[in-house]
Amino acid sequence: MNLPYRLIATDLDGTLLRADETVSQRTRDALAAVTEAGAAHIVVTGRSVPWTRHILEDLGYEGLAVCGQGAQVYHAGEQRLLTSVTLDRQLAGLALSKIEAEVGPLALAASRDGLHGEVLVGAGYRVQEGPLPVVPFDDPSELWSAPLNKVYIQHPELDDDALAEAARATVGALVDVVMAGPGVVEILPLGLTKATGLSLAARRLGLRAADTIAFGDMPNDIPMFGWAAHGVAMANAHDGLKAVAHEITASNEHDGIAVVLEHLLRTV
């Protein structure tokens, strides 16, 4: 069986995962069928490894995963990091001061590097409810005391798109700024995207952009769509991603990934 794509790249939140953070049986079956047909499945997520590992284990996933917005390439079967990119903390501190000079005080959180890196959360930062652990901090120096993959920012008045746009306009030459989900605006190392991480993982598998179909729902998936041969936005996706998608499928709640993969299987 010759599938048109040999690499299936899926975002997690809002894409592979439903709102309750589960993966439907239909979607599991569709992924199993395409991997049985010879394709590789790679999870590509903004979540760092510690916040991703339990999902991979539930899926019985033993391949490569791209985590931390492209910062980490993780081998799930061997439970080890193959690559990890960290954020220059001095540069991040400068970027934050410049953003705050422009828009006022920010609420902050940060993701520490490593297989067991904690997510630190400062005063006023709104954390989405769920099972993922966070570590509160009061002393700002704690934020910079260990290597980081990213810093999260929130503003008391600006919405996510407005905050990301203002931050990008102010410090876009120093760091990358992405909107990765509701309430999730991130500061990343300059040039780091899901596409850079996915390209590294694909190369390890002997695969290329031309072999790849990618699924996503947020603006942080735009570079991945630009790299892959075919980008599929979920029905619930951000308008910015839909604008660059080759195709729009059903929502994450209605098995949008399975809809596309089942169609591909029927046409070979």
Side-chain angles (χ1 to χ4, degrees):
M1 183 180 292
N2 294 315
L3 289 170
Y5 305 104
R6 297 167 59 208
L7 180 58
I8 317 298
T10 64
D11 172 48
L12 281 184
D13 295 282
T15 304
L16 182 63
L17 297 179
R18 295 177 292 190
D20 63 0
E21 297 211 345
T22 63
V23 180
S24 74
Q25 191 59 52
R26 180 182 176 186
T27 296
R28 289 171 186 261
D29 291 345
L31 287 168
V34 293
T35 53
E36 179 70 22
H41 172 219
I42 291 187
V43 164
V44 186
T45 178
R47 297 185 185 216
S48 58
V49 169
W51 276 20
T52 307
R53 192 185 293 115
H54 67 288
I55 295 167
L56 302 180
E57 290 172 353
D58 175 64
L59 289 171
Y61 186 105
E62 296 190 344
L64 302 182
V66 177
C67 301
Q69 222 66 266
Q72 300 170 315
V73 177
Y74 172 63
H75 194 303
E78 298 176 2
Q79 297 188 9
R80 65 187 181 97
L81 279 172
L82 303 181
T83 65
S84 189
V85 178
T86 57
L87 178 64
D88 184 305
R89 284 170 277 172
Q90 187 172 356
L91 200 59
L94 174 62
L96 286 175
S97 66
K98 286 179 174 291
I99 297 168
E100 290 191 319
E102 189 68 27
V103 303
L106 299 168
L108 304 176
S111 176
R112 282 183 170 161
D113 186 41
L115 286 177
H116 306 287
E118 303 100 335
V119 173
L120 307 177
V121 173
Y125 191 90
R126 303 178 303 280
V127 179
Q128 296 175 12
E129 291 185 16
L132 303 174
V134 297
V135 178
F137 73 91
D138 298 313
D139 182 352
S141 66
E142 291 181 56
L143 192 66
W144 312 111
S145 63
L148 303 173
N149 293 125
K150 67 176 78 171
V151 172
Y152 302 90
I153 60 175
Q154 290 178 345
H155 191 274
E157 296 169 4
L158 295 176
D159 66 23
D160 301 326
D161 288 315
L163 176 58
E165 185 176 344
R168 201 174 292 118
T170 305
V171 297
L174 300 176
V175 293
D176 268 349
V177 181
V178 298
M179 201 279 269
V184 184
V185 177
E186 303 178 355
I187 291 176
L188 302 166
L190 192 63
L192 177 73
T193 69
K194 285 187 173 185
T196 55
L198 179 56
S199 66
L200 286 174
R203 195 175 307 150
R204 286 177 176 269
L205 299 176
L207 299 171
R208 304 166 300 146
D211 301 314
T212 306
I213 181 171
F215 295 83
D217 74 311
M218 281 291 160
N220 61 319
D221 294 314
I222 290 174
M224 180 168 70
F225 278 25
W227 183 82
H230 194 75
V232 183
M234 314 304 287
N236 50 287
H238 189 280
D239 287 344
L241 186 68
K242 286 181 176 178
V244 300
H246 298 96
E247 180 180 353
I248 297 173
T249 186
S251 73
N252 61 320
E253 297 293 337
H254 294 95
D255 300 303
I257 291 175
V259 169
V260 173
L261 296 184
E262 288 164 358
H263 176 72
L264 291 178
L265 288 163
R266 285 195 301 269
T267 56
V268 295

